[in-house]
Amino acid sequence: MRNSKWLGFAAGCAMSIAPLLAQDPAQEAKNQKLVTDWYREVIAYGHVELAPKYMAASYIEHDPNILAGKASGGTKEFVAFHGKNPPKPIQASLPAKPVAAFAKGDYVVLSWEHDDKDPKSGTPYKYITYDITRVKDGKVQEHWDSLKKKE
């Protein structure tokens, strides 16, 4: 069974702020392309040297795994986290296509479906994770995701 709880939550968050934002479909498409390219080149394929091309100098990270116990973080923490492994050749598409991707105002949402197994029963199941990114002036300003803090 497909669990769309998180996708619904992400969509609800974006939609609840949508009336407050001036919506320009052309700008939203540009924002979605920027975030998808950033995610593909910098995160998925590990080219952190390209971070300044996409990310604002005042970038704010909200993922607790990237923050490593700090209350807040920015580009430095992001690059340190994503730069741990050697980069891979950048491909024309993401290694895994999002199950949903959309933009509303300054916000872009990408959501991913994953497979896992219940540790006790071994029963397979699917779950959704998401990334929400705020874009301003052609740069990624802020990022949230649904990943749990790793212990």
Side-chain angles (χ1 to χ4, degrees):
M1 183 173 116
R2 180 183 231 176
N3 181 350
S4 61
K5 183 178 179 180
W6 291 111
L7 178 58
F9 173 76
C13 288
M15 296 305 288
S16 68
I17 61 169
L20 304 175
L21 305 170
Q23 296 178 20
D24 175 2
Q27 186 59 51
E28 289 174 343
K30 286 179 189 176
N31 290 349
Q32 187 172 332
K33 181 176 180 349
L34 172 84
V35 169
T36 302
D37 288 346
W38 169 70
Y39 199 97
R40 180 176 53 86
E41 293 180 10
V42 180
I43 297 173
Y45 294 109
H47 285 268
V48 294
E49 77 279 6
L50 298 176
K53 173 181 172 183
Y54 294 103
M55 299 166 68
S58 59
Y59 173 81
I60 302 169
E61 179 59 61
H62 297 281
D63 182 334
N65 297 300
I66 294 174
L67 299 177
K70 296 179 182 176
S72 63
T75 306
K76 178 181 173 185
E77 289 80 10
F78 176 92
V79 168
F81 182 84
H82 287 289
K84 290 177 185 173
N85 297 314
K88 300 171 190 165
I90 296 172
Q91 304 298 308
S93 61
L94 285 162
K97 185 178 177 183
V99 293
F102 61 91
K104 283 291 179 190
D106 292 341
Y107 294 86
V108 176
V109 176
L110 302 175
S111 64
W112 318 91
E113 184 177 79
H114 306 276
D115 295 307
D116 207 345
K117 288 186 180 181
D118 182 274
K120 292 182 181 177
S121 69
T123 304
Y125 66 92
K126 295 184 182 289
Y127 67 97
I128 299 290
T129 60
Y130 62 86
D131 290 85
I132 300 174
T133 308
R134 184 173 63 85
V135 176
K136 184 177 177 188
D137 299 327
K139 296 279 187 172
V140 174
Q141 301 286 327
E142 206 163 359
H143 171 258
W144 300 262
D145 60 39
S146 62
L147 299 177
K148 293 181 180 179
K149 185 176 179 181
K150 295 177 185 175
E151 298 302 322

PDB file of all heavy atoms in Angstrom, residues 33-50:
ATOM      1  N   LYS A  33      13.160  24.010 -11.827  1.00  0.00           N
ATOM      2  CA  LYS A  33      14.340  23.559 -12.583  1.00  0.00           C
ATOM      3  C   LYS A  33      15.617  23.809 -11.792  1.00  0.00           C
ATOM      4  O   LYS A  33      16.491  22.946 -11.707  1.00  0.00           O
ATOM      5  CB  LYS A  33      14.423  24.239 -13.942  1.00  0.00           C
ATOM      6  CG  LYS A  33      15.624  23.759 -14.748  1.00  0.00           C
ATOM      7  CD  LYS A  33      15.677  24.335 -16.120  1.00  0.00           C
ATOM      8  CE  LYS A  33      16.837  23.892 -16.960  1.00  0.00           C
ATOM      9  NZ  LYS A  33      17.937  23.174 -16.375  1.00  0.00           N
ATOM     10  N   LEU A  34      15.732  24.988 -11.179  1.00  0.00           N
ATOM     11  CA  LEU A  34      16.909  25.310 -10.366  1.00  0.00           C
ATOM     12  C   LEU A  34      17.090  24.281  -9.250  1.00  0.00           C
ATOM     13  O   LEU A  34      18.185  23.745  -9.071  1.00  0.00           O
ATOM     14  CB  LEU A  34      16.778  26.711  -9.762  1.00  0.00           C
ATOM     15  CG  LEU A  34      17.864  27.076  -8.747  1.00  0.00           C
ATOM     16  CD1 LEU A  34      19.094  27.603  -9.468  1.00  0.00           C
ATOM     17  CD2 LEU A  34      17.355  28.089  -7.749  1.00  0.00           C
ATOM     18  N   VAL A  35      16.024  23.996  -8.516  1.00  0.00           N
ATOM     19  CA  VAL A  35      16.110  23.060  -7.391  1.00  0.00           C
ATOM     20  C   VAL A  35      16.417  21.646  -7.889  1.00  0.00           C
ATOM     21  O   VAL A  35      17.244  20.945  -7.302  1.00  0.00           O
ATOM     22  CB  VAL A  35      14.825  23.105  -6.545  1.00  0.00           C
ATOM     23  CG1 VAL A  35      14.786  21.959  -5.538  1.00  0.00           C
ATOM     24  CG2 VAL A  35      14.721  24.445  -5.833  1.00  0.00           C
ATOM     25  N   THR A  36      15.790  21.233  -8.967  1.00  0.00           N
ATOM     26  CA  THR A  36      16.047  19.899  -9.506  1.00  0.00           C
ATOM     27  C   THR A  36      17.495  19.774  -9.969  1.00  0.00           C
ATOM     28  O   THR A  36      18.153  18.762  -9.703  1.00  0.00           O
ATOM     29  CB  THR A  36      15.071  19.582 -10.653  1.00  0.00           C
ATOM     30  OG1 THR A  36      13.732  19.694 -10.155  1.00  0.00           O
ATOM     31  CG2 THR A  36      15.289  18.180 -11.190  1.00  0.00           C
ATOM     32  N   ASP A  37      18.012  20.798 -10.636  1.00  0.00           N
ATOM     33  CA  ASP A  37      19.418  20.772 -11.069  1.00  0.00           C
ATOM     34  C   ASP A  37      20.359  20.773  -9.869  1.00  0.00           C
ATOM     35  O   ASP A  37      21.366  20.055  -9.853  1.00  0.00           O
ATOM     36  CB  ASP A  37      19.729  21.966 -11.980  1.00  0.00           C
ATOM     37  CG  ASP A  37      19.093  21.834 -13.356  1.00  0.00           C
ATOM     38  OD1 ASP A  37      18.641  20.719 -13.715  1.00  0.00           O
ATOM     39  OD2 ASP A  37      19.043  22.850 -14.071  1.00  0.00           O
ATOM     40  N   TRP A  38      20.062  21.594  -8.863  1.00  0.00           N
ATOM     41  CA  TRP A  38      20.856  21.621  -7.625  1.00  0.00           C
ATOM     42  C   TRP A  38      20.869  20.253  -6.972  1.00  0.00           C
ATOM     43  O   TRP A  38      21.929  19.741  -6.613  1.00  0.00           O
ATOM     44  CB  TRP A  38      20.266  22.687  -6.683  1.00  0.00           C
ATOM     45  CG  TRP A  38      20.787  22.675  -5.279  1.00  0.00           C
ATOM     46  CD1 TRP A  38      22.030  23.025  -4.852  1.00  0.00           C
ATOM     47  CD2 TRP A  38      20.058  22.332  -4.092  1.00  0.00           C
ATOM     48  NE1 TRP A  38      22.118  22.926  -3.473  1.00  0.00           N
ATOM     49  CE2 TRP A  38      20.921  22.495  -2.990  1.00  0.00           C
ATOM     50  CE3 TRP A  38      18.756  21.919  -3.855  1.00  0.00           C
ATOM     51  CZ2 TRP A  38      20.529  22.261  -1.675  1.00  0.00           C
ATOM     52  CZ3 TRP A  38      18.360  21.681  -2.552  1.00  0.00           C
ATOM     53  CH2 TRP A  38      19.243  21.849  -1.476  1.00  0.00           C
ATOM     54  N   TYR A  39      19.692  19.674  -6.840  1.00  0.00           N
ATOM     55  CA  TYR A  39      19.594  18.362  -6.205  1.00  0.00           C
ATOM     56  C   TYR A  39      20.379  17.311  -7.005  1.00  0.00           C
ATOM     57  O   TYR A  39      21.104  16.501  -6.442  1.00  0.00           O
ATOM     58  CB  TYR A  39      18.120  17.950  -6.073  1.00  0.00           C
ATOM     59  CG  TYR A  39      17.913  16.872  -5.050  1.00  0.00           C
ATOM     60  CD1 TYR A  39      17.524  17.183  -3.764  1.00  0.00           C
ATOM     61  CD2 TYR A  39      18.133  15.536  -5.362  1.00  0.00           C
ATOM     62  CE1 TYR A  39      17.347  16.200  -2.798  1.00  0.00           C
ATOM     63  CE2 TYR A  39      17.958  14.548  -4.412  1.00  0.00           C
ATOM     64  CZ  TYR A  39      17.568  14.883  -3.138  1.00  0.00           C
ATOM     65  OH  TYR A  39      17.406  13.907  -2.198  1.00  0.00           O
ATOM     66  N   ARG A  40      20.248  17.353  -8.313  1.00  0.00           N
ATOM     67  CA  ARG A  40      20.923  16.377  -9.183  1.00  0.00           C
ATOM     68  C   ARG A  40      22.439  16.547  -9.137  1.00  0.00           C
ATOM     69  O   ARG A  40      23.174  15.599  -8.860  1.00  0.00           O
ATOM     70  CB  ARG A  40      20.402  16.535 -10.621  1.00  0.00           C
ATOM     71  CG  ARG A  40      21.022  15.596 -11.634  1.00  0.00           C
ATOM     72  CD  ARG A  40      20.369  15.764 -13.006  1.00  0.00           C
ATOM     73  NE  ARG A  40      20.361  17.133 -13.475  1.00  0.00           N
ATOM     74  CZ  ARG A  40      21.358  17.720 -14.131  1.00  0.00           C
ATOM     75  NH1 ARG A  40      22.454  17.053 -14.413  1.00  0.00           N
ATOM     76  NH2 ARG A  40      21.261  18.973 -14.517  1.00  0.00           N
ATOM     77  N   GLU A  41      22.922  17.748  -9.385  1.00  0.00           N
ATOM     78  CA  GLU A  41      24.367  17.980  -9.507  1.00  0.00           C
ATOM     79  C   GLU A  41      25.094  17.971  -8.155  1.00  0.00           C
ATOM     80  O   GLU A  41      26.156  17.356  -8.024  1.00  0.00           O
ATOM     81  CB  GLU A  41      24.629  19.311 -10.209  1.00  0.00           C
ATOM     82  CG  GLU A  41      24.197  19.308 -11.660  1.00  0.00           C
ATOM     83  CD  GLU A  41      24.466  20.629 -12.368  1.00  0.00           C
ATOM     84  OE1 GLU A  41      25.160  21.499 -11.813  1.00  0.00           O
ATOM     85  OE2 GLU A  41      23.970  20.777 -13.506  1.00  0.00           O
ATOM     86  N   VAL A  42      24.532  18.650  -7.177  1.00  0.00           N
ATOM     87  CA  VAL A  42      25.229  18.848  -5.904  1.00  0.00           C
ATOM     88  C   VAL A  42      24.951  17.713  -4.908  1.00  0.00           C
ATOM     89  O   VAL A  42      25.882  17.204  -4.285  1.00  0.00           O
ATOM     90  CB  VAL A  42      24.872  20.221  -5.293  1.00  0.00           C
ATOM     91  CG1 VAL A  42      25.590  20.441  -3.975  1.00  0.00           C
ATOM     92  CG2 VAL A  42      25.208  21.350  -6.275  1.00  0.00           C
ATOM     93  N   ILE A  43      23.687  17.310  -4.790  1.00  0.00           N
ATOM     94  CA  ILE A  43      23.342  16.299  -3.785  1.00  0.00           C
ATOM     95  C   ILE A  43      23.485  14.885  -4.353  1.00  0.00           C
ATOM     96  O   ILE A  43      24.248  14.080  -3.826  1.00  0.00           O
ATOM     97  CB  ILE A  43      21.921  16.546  -3.230  1.00  0.00           C
ATOM     98  CG1 ILE A  43      21.882  17.894  -2.506  1.00  0.00           C
ATOM     99  CG2 ILE A  43      21.506  15.410  -2.295  1.00  0.00           C
ATOM    100  CD1 ILE A  43      20.510  18.335  -2.055  1.00  0.00           C
ATOM    101  N   ALA A  44      22.762  14.576  -5.424  1.00  0.00           N
ATOM    102  CA  ALA A  44      22.752  13.198  -5.934  1.00  0.00           C
ATOM    103  C   ALA A  44      24.112  12.752  -6.462  1.00  0.00           C
ATOM    104  O   ALA A  44      24.531  11.623  -6.209  1.00  0.00           O
ATOM    105  CB  ALA A  44      21.688  13.054  -7.023  1.00  0.00           C
ATOM    106  N   TYR A  45      24.810  13.635  -7.178  1.00  0.00           N
ATOM    107  CA  TYR A  45      26.094  13.247  -7.758  1.00  0.00           C
ATOM    108  C   TYR A  45      27.292  13.823  -7.013  1.00  0.00           C
ATOM    109  O   TYR A  45      28.434  13.591  -7.392  1.00  0.00           O
ATOM    110  CB  TYR A  45      26.124  13.576  -9.248  1.00  0.00           C
ATOM    111  CG  TYR A  45      25.122  12.719  -9.999  1.00  0.00           C
ATOM    112  CD1 TYR A  45      23.962  13.263 -10.530  1.00  0.00           C
ATOM    113  CD2 TYR A  45      25.319  11.345 -10.119  1.00  0.00           C
ATOM    114  CE1 TYR A  45      23.036  12.466 -11.178  1.00  0.00           C
ATOM    115  CE2 TYR A  45      24.395  10.543 -10.772  1.00  0.00           C
ATOM    116  CZ  TYR A  45      23.264  11.106 -11.300  1.00  0.00           C
ATOM    117  OH  TYR A  45      22.340  10.313 -11.945  1.00  0.00           O
ATOM    118  N   GLY A  46      27.044  14.565  -5.932  1.00  0.00           N
ATOM    119  CA  GLY A  46      28.093  14.956  -5.005  1.00  0.00           C
ATOM    120  C   GLY A  46      29.053  16.040  -5.436  1.00  0.00           C
ATOM    121  O   GLY A  46      30.143  16.156  -4.864  1.00  0.00           O
ATOM    122  N   HIS A  47      28.662  16.889  -6.365  1.00  0.00           N
ATOM    123  CA  HIS A  47      29.561  17.962  -6.814  1.00  0.00           C
ATOM    124  C   HIS A  47      29.352  19.216  -5.956  1.00  0.00           C
ATOM    125  O   HIS A  47      28.787  20.215  -6.395  1.00  0.00           O
ATOM    126  CB  HIS A  47      29.355  18.237  -8.304  1.00  0.00           C
ATOM    127  CG  HIS A  47      29.970  17.176  -9.147  1.00  0.00           C
ATOM    128  ND1 HIS A  47      31.252  17.265  -9.630  1.00  0.00           N
ATOM    129  CD2 HIS A  47      29.489  15.971  -9.530  1.00  0.00           C
ATOM    130  CE1 HIS A  47      31.535  16.165 -10.314  1.00  0.00           C
ATOM    131  NE2 HIS A  47      30.482  15.355 -10.266  1.00  0.00           N
ATOM    132  N   VAL A  48      29.868  19.143  -4.728  1.00  0.00           N
ATOM    133  CA  VAL A  48      29.685  20.247  -3.785  1.00  0.00           C
ATOM    134  C   VAL A  48      30.422  21.516  -4.226  1.00  0.00           C
ATOM    135  O   VAL A  48      30.084  22.604  -3.768  1.00  0.00           O
ATOM    136  CB  VAL A  48      30.092  19.843  -2.353  1.00  0.00           C
ATOM    137  CG1 VAL A  48      29.162  18.773  -1.811  1.00  0.00           C
ATOM    138  CG2 VAL A  48      31.538  19.396  -2.277  1.00  0.00           C
ATOM    139  N   GLU A  49      31.382  21.371  -5.124  1.00  0.00           N
ATOM    140  CA  GLU A  49      32.064  22.568  -5.634  1.00  0.00           C
ATOM    141  C   GLU A  49      31.100  23.460  -6.426  1.00  0.00           C
ATOM    142  O   GLU A  49      31.375  24.646  -6.647  1.00  0.00           O
ATOM    143  CB  GLU A  49      33.285  22.180  -6.497  1.00  0.00           C
ATOM    144  CG  GLU A  49      32.973  21.689  -7.894  1.00  0.00           C
ATOM    145  CD  GLU A  49      32.557  20.214  -7.988  1.00  0.00           C
ATOM    146  OE1 GLU A  49      32.396  19.542  -6.952  1.00  0.00           O
ATOM    147  OE2 GLU A  49      32.389  19.741  -9.132  1.00  0.00           O
ATOM    148  N   LEU A  50      29.961  22.901  -6.837  1.00  0.00           N
ATOM    149  CA  LEU A  50      28.947  23.670  -7.564  1.00  0.00           C
ATOM    150  C   LEU A  50      27.936  24.333  -6.632  1.00  0.00           C
ATOM    151  O   LEU A  50      27.044  25.035  -7.091  1.00  0.00           O
ATOM    152  CB  LEU A  50      28.213  22.764  -8.563  1.00  0.00           C
ATOM    153  CG  LEU A  50      29.070  22.151  -9.668  1.00  0.00           C
ATOM    154  CD1 LEU A  50      28.241  21.211 -10.522  1.00  0.00           C
ATOM    155  CD2 LEU A  50      29.707  23.249 -10.513  1.00  0.00           C
TER     156      LEU A  50
END
